[in-house]
Amino acid sequence: AMEERAARQAEFDKARRVRAAEKLDEQPHIAEMTLIEQTISFCKSLVQTKDLEAKEEKKDIAHNNPEGTQVLAKKEDREEFYFVPTAKKKGKSKNKGAK
């Protein structure tokens, strides 16, 4: 009976050591790490697309226009002018029809 118990104990110890070794192989916080990696790759992809769009906009166009003509700029490229109103609005008269 003692020999059987010792054999079972040895098997149990071996199984426990195998489980401990597998636990060491597992990395803690795997879900958080993958989420962070995905977020970083997403942000990098956003930054890369902005750079490519900026490079595409910088194309020079050769205009072969006749003499005396002018090329109009795109609406996005134009400067915006804000006009300051000079005349003040007239306020409502307080005593309307009161005599």
Side-chain angles (χ1 to χ4, degrees), residues 63-72:
H63 298 288
N64 49 356
N65 298 331
E67 287 289 322
T69 58
Q70 187 176 8
V71 179
L72 296 176

Side-chain angles (χ1 to χ4, degrees), residues 33-87:
M33 288 170 57
T34 53
L35 180 66
I36 291 171
E37 289 171 359
Q38 288 172 351
T39 308
I40 290 173
S41 62
F42 174 73
C43 292
K44 284 183 180 177
S45 70
L46 284 180
V47 170
Q48 288 172 353
T49 55
K50 284 183 182 176
D51 291 344
L52 293 174
E53 290 173 6
K55 289 178 184 174
E56 290 175 10
E57 290 178 8
K58 298 290 181 180
K59 294 179 182 175
D60 288 331
I61 302 169
H63 298 288
N64 49 356
N65 298 331
E67 287 289 322
T69 58
Q70 187 176 8
V71 179
L72 296 176
K74 289 184 193 173
K75 197 166 190 178
E76 306 98 44
D77 298 339
R78 292 185 205 155
E79 295 180 25
E80 294 184 29
F81 296 101
Y82 294 98
F83 296 101
V84 179
T86 54

Side-chain angles (χ1 to χ4, degrees), residues 13 28 47 62 87 93-94:
D13 287 344
V47 170
S93 59
K94 293 181 180 175

